[in-house]
Amino acid sequence: MLKLYHHPMSAASRFARLVLGEYGERVELLEERPWEKRRDFLALNPAATLPVMIEDEGPAIVGASVVGEYLDETRGVFQRDKRLMPEKPIERAESRRLTEWFLVKLDGEVTRYLVRERVFKLEMRPEAGGGAPDASAIRAARANLKHHLRYLGWLAESRDWLAGPRLSYADIAAAAAMSILDYLGEVHWEEEPAAKDWYMRLKSRPSFRPLLTERIRGLPPVHHYTQLDF
Amino acid sequence: MLKLYHHPMSAASRFARLVLGEYGERVELLEERPWEKRRDFLALNPAATLPVMIEDEGPAIVGASVVGEYLDETRGVFQRDKRLMPEKPIERAESRRLTEWFLVKLDGEVTRYLVRERVFKLEMRPEAGGGAPDASAIRAARANLKHHLRYLGWLAESRDWLAGPRLSYADIAAAAAMSILDYLGEVHWEEEPAAKDWYMRLKSRPSFRPLLTERIRGLPPVHHYTQLDF
């Protein structure tokens, strides 16, 4: 049995959940607030990051890309044309580059700040960093998002899927991150029609359904969040 | 033929060079100053990060972990007991976790700041961020390094190699980062004898030699940098 420590507003966690969903794996979800630095959670992952996956009470599998590689090696390779990793090493390199782009670079320039300022601070105690959102952090993140959305649009325009002719981890990673930004109403989809069309295709997949029904207490999603044709 | 865009003071670049060295691959090294954001380099990697590897004029292979996976898939799998990835998926997960720890987490908390303040700023034009080092950034990075050195010591004490019974990417990643911090005289090895012993073993490998002979103009290394028994 698989267990996944996650948070609904963590793009890396959503990536892991979507991959598990695509491969039809059942998983026990355990919500974790990483900023609380819970002792038992730090014992699993001293970096205190999400996601952390456990299979059959084994050692912790830590971080989105590590979980992704593990699931590819233990599930993906048996999935034939549903495998989320391209077949050739050079194509896999492109899928991995973009997975890192959306889960690390976009996160470090956009997602992390918007989520912290607009969501986590509502839940954090003042001594843990809670309180009023920092308007300048939000402004900077929004400016960065413009560039990322343009890049996503360019990729969606130039290729069938983000990393090439087939759906891959790159799409799952980008959709995981964009779905959080979309929940918060931060994405101006009308500016990049190809990105919007790509996201509509991703959002319509059965693996996406559980994510679209989740709600953050006190913070409803933007009105089009669950609409498959928005 | 392989080409590698790198910088001598980039831990991620050193990781790629060490892996290539371990596998006996010849590579053309091209030094890149990523902060200059050279147009041709941005065309290869819009994130402007190092390393970037090219094989036979093919598409760019971007980033240390992506280069690492590519080299494992195209070289490592044929290396039998010299392969730098453990055989089992769950053991690979631990090697990948630590590779990310030393190339991403340590970099973001320590290496990047010390290298920028103490090395890159000497070479940068003022309008690109050059100038006097920021003492508070250096102080914060040094405080963080204490924790990382303790963790490295604990790993070296508890296991034969960092990720388990065999040399793996985890060791190469940690040694790549530590070698830069050691060049700058930032590592108090005497505080963690097991880490020191582990680093001595790594440093003695033939793959390390080219790194130990490189010099940064105007910034000689700490006196013990090239000593194999320090």
Side-chain angles (χ1 to χ4, degrees), chain A residues 12 19 31 49 52 59 62 78 83 96 114 121 125 128 142 147 160 174 183 203 225:
Chain A
V19 173
E31 191 173 321
T49 52
V52 174
V62 171
F78 308 114
R83 184 175 178 189
R96 286 182 175 120
L114 292 173
K121 276 191 171 178
R125 288 187 312 264
R142 284 180 178 156
H147 299 284
D160 294 337
Y183 184 103
K203 202 171 153 176
Y225 179 63

Side-chain angles (χ1 to χ4, degrees), chain A residues 118-157:
Chain A
R118 296 197 46 205
V119 186
F120 290 172
K121 276 191 171 178
L122 300 173
E123 303 189 4
M124 285 170 162
R125 288 187 312 264
E127 63 276 20
D134 173 346
S136 72
I138 292 180
R139 219 164 24 238
R142 284 180 178 156
N144 291 338
L145 177 53
K146 275 185 197 293
H147 299 284
H148 280 279
L149 185 61
R150 202 168 308 142
Y151 189 52
L152 180 64
W154 178 81
L155 289 168
E157 233 170 62

Side-chain angles (χ1 to χ4, degrees), chain A residues 200-220:
Chain A
M200 236 158 62
R201 282 189 283 154
L202 261 293
K203 202 171 153 176
S204 313
R205 301 181 72 83
S207 64
F208 238 85
R209 252 175 249 150
L211 274 61
L212 296 180
T213 56
E214 275 175 354
R215 294 294 173 270
I216 300 295
R217 210 169 13 166
L219 190 72

Side-chain angles (χ1 to χ4, degrees), chain A residues 101-102 104-111 145 148 177-178 181:
Chain A
W101 184 289
F102 290 105
V104 182
K105 187 175 166 66
L106 175 65
D107 193 72
E109 291 169 4
V110 180
T111 324
L145 177 53
H148 280 279
M178 296 309 291
L181 296 168

Side-chain angles (χ1 to χ4, degrees), chain A residues 45-47 58-63 65-66 69-70 73-74 88-90 92-94 96-97 100-101 104-105 151, chain B residues 45-47 58-63 65-66 69-70 73-74 88-90 92-94 96-97 100-101 104-105 151:
Chain A
N45 175 16
I61 303 162
V62 171
S65 71
V66 178
E69 298 290 344
Y70 179 84
E73 290 171 355
T74 56
K88 293 187 191 156
I90 193 72
R92 293 157 78 86
E94 178 64 353
R96 286 182 175 120
R97 175 182 80 85
E100 204 174 299
W101 184 289
V104 182
K105 187 175 166 66
Y151 189 52
Chain B
N45 176 16
I61 302 161
V62 172
S65 71
V66 178
E69 298 290 344
Y70 180 84
E73 290 170 354
T74 57
K88 292 188 192 155
I90 193 74
R92 295 158 77 88
E94 178 64 354
R96 288 183 175 119
R97 175 182 80 86
E100 204 175 300
W101 184 289
V104 182
K105 188 176 166 64
Y151 189 52

Side-chain angles (χ1 to χ4, degrees), chain B residues 43-54:
Chain B
L44 287 176
N45 176 16
T49 51
L50 289 171
V52 173
M53 192 171 79
I54 311 268

